[in-house]
Amino acid sequence: MSQLNDLPRHYTRFEVEPYTPNIGGLIHGLDLRETLDPITQDELRHALAQHEVIFFRDQQLTPDQHVAFTRTFGGVAEVKAFFPRLESHPEIEIVESTAERQKAASNWHADITWREQPPLGTSLYAQVIPATGGDTIWASLTKAFDSLPTAFQAYLETLTAVHTWEISGWTEYLLAKDASGDELKAARAKYPPVEHPVVRVHPVTGKKILYVNSTFTSHIKGLTRSASDALLTQLFELARVPEFQARLRWRAGTLAVWDNRSTQHYAVGDFFPQHRKLHRITITE
């Protein structure tokens, strides 16, 4: 992917309406069913890097078209196994909540930071939306880092954090699924804890990002447990600052694409027992 400074500053193929002053862009003027030329694709990658999450309203996509459009931003692959998949398109996960099976990721997180190479981003397309509720919120961890005092920023850049899926509830899930503990042991062997710098540099924009989240970051290396917990609690709270957030009210036909490297997100679980269904594609580097 080109560096941000190498990409066009003014969009020639569509319009971008800032969604909030700090994060998010609403894209106007594109029908995502159409094949996008290289300039349009470059401009969309620029818009994603700049705004961190971009939204498209009133799109009517088949699964094939959803997959083809998502390839604008990177590879698509079966990198997760926590949700059922569309039988005809295994790249597409079905994120669904019903009265019988209520589900929403009502916690602040970036996806799969417990991997050595977490996903680049996500493409999420609305299928069935509640009459009210079921919003998704994104937070800019670029703006969160920028808000900190310079000396504190410099200190954070010296630190490394440990990320693991085991603090996210999957330990209990695997034990409930297999009381023998064999599945838990296999998962631990396959996906041990990983280390990431507390502050990452975005590979496109060159901006610094606060890279810890309350769902998968367990502790900071080299600090006592009490000091690590206190510091992480302070950092986790930054995702909850409204000035760093964009909150999307979904409509059927809305598609959101976000940069998983520079944002966290939260699915608001206020719509039960209403039906909510979305198609999700994970974007790889």
Side-chain angles (χ1 to χ4, degrees):
M1 185 181 292
S2 301
Q3 288 293 311
L4 183 62
N5 289 337
D6 297 332
L7 295 173
R9 295 284 180 168
H10 301 288
Y11 302 108
T12 63
R13 297 296 201 264
F14 50 82
E15 295 181 1
V16 182
E17 175 187 348
Y19 198 73
T20 77
N22 286 322
I23 177 175
L26 187 60
I27 307 296
H28 300 284
L30 287 181
D31 182 342
L32 303 186
R33 295 173 296 185
E34 299 176 354
T35 301
L36 303 178
D37 62 62
I39 292 176
T40 303
Q41 293 187 48
D42 274 352
E43 291 187 0
L44 282 170
R45 289 190 287 266
H46 178 287
L48 180 62
Q50 180 180 14
H51 295 279
E52 302 185 313
V53 56
I54 52 178
F55 307 123
F56 305 81
R57 294 288 197 188
D58 303 319
Q59 302 293 324
Q60 304 298 322
L61 302 178
T62 65
D64 277 338
Q65 291 164 341
H66 184 195
V67 172
F69 168 71
T70 302
R71 292 188 190 279
T72 296
F73 303 96
V76 300
E78 299 180 42
V79 297
K80 295 185 70 176
F82 302 146
F83 294 95
R85 295 184 177 275
L86 203 61
E87 186 173 345
S88 61
H89 294 78
E91 309 96 330
I92 299 178
E93 291 180 298
I94 303 170
V95 181
E96 186 170 22
S97 178
T98 65
E100 295 74 29
R101 188 172 182 272
Q102 299 180 359
K103 185 168 184 62
S106 300
N107 50 3
W108 283 106
H109 65 286
D111 287 332
I112 326 181
T113 62
W114 43 267
R115 298 287 297 270
E116 288 284 354
Q117 293 185 315
L120 181 157
T122 301
S123 170
L124 192 62
Y125 181 47
Q127 304 287 310
V128 179
I129 297 302
T132 57
D135 297 352
T136 302
I137 309 172
W138 287 266
S140 170
L141 276 298
T142 308
K143 295 298 183 182
F145 180 78
D146 288 346
S147 73
L148 300 174
T150 301
F152 191 28
Q153 291 177 341
Y155 169 64
L156 294 176
E157 290 183 68
T158 69
L159 301 177
T160 299
V162 176
H163 296 239
T164 174
W165 54 269
E166 291 198 56
I167 63 171
S168 67
W170 283 101
T171 299
E172 293 78 6
Y173 169 79
L174 291 173
L175 284 174
K177 186 179 177 183
D178 175 18
S180 72
D182 288 344
E183 285 203 32
L184 177 60
K185 291 176 184 177
R188 283 173 170 164
K190 186 174 182 180
Y191 300 116
V194 300
E195 298 177 3
H196 294 297
V198 170
V199 179
R200 286 185 65 183
V201 176
H202 194 284
V204 178
T205 67
K207 294 181 179 180
K208 294 177 181 177
I209 303 156
L210 183 63
Y211 200 69
V212 294
N213 69 89
S214 59
T215 301
F216 298 126
T217 307
S218 62
H219 64 282
I220 295 177
K221 286 186 64 178
L223 299 186
T224 64
R225 172 57 69 175
S226 59
S228 173
D229 288 349
L231 179 56
L232 285 175
T233 296
Q234 180 182 0
L235 299 179
F236 293 158
E237 286 300 311
L238 291 170
R240 298 176 171 86
V241 175
E243 285 78 5
F244 306 149
Q245 296 176 357
R247 179 168 181 150
L248 177 67
R249 176 166 290 183
W250 291 96
R251 300 197 302 253
T254 296
L255 187 145
V257 180
W258 68 89
D259 191 324
N260 191 61
R261 300 163 295 192
S262 58
T263 67
Q264 293 180 30
H265 57 283
Y266 182 107
V268 181
D270 60 354
F271 59 92
F272 309 129
Q274 298 178 85
H275 187 195
R276 182 178 185 266
K277 180 180 178 181
L278 305 102
H279 284 177
R280 181 171 74 180
I281 301 175
T282 298
I283 307 168
T284 60
E285 298 279 2

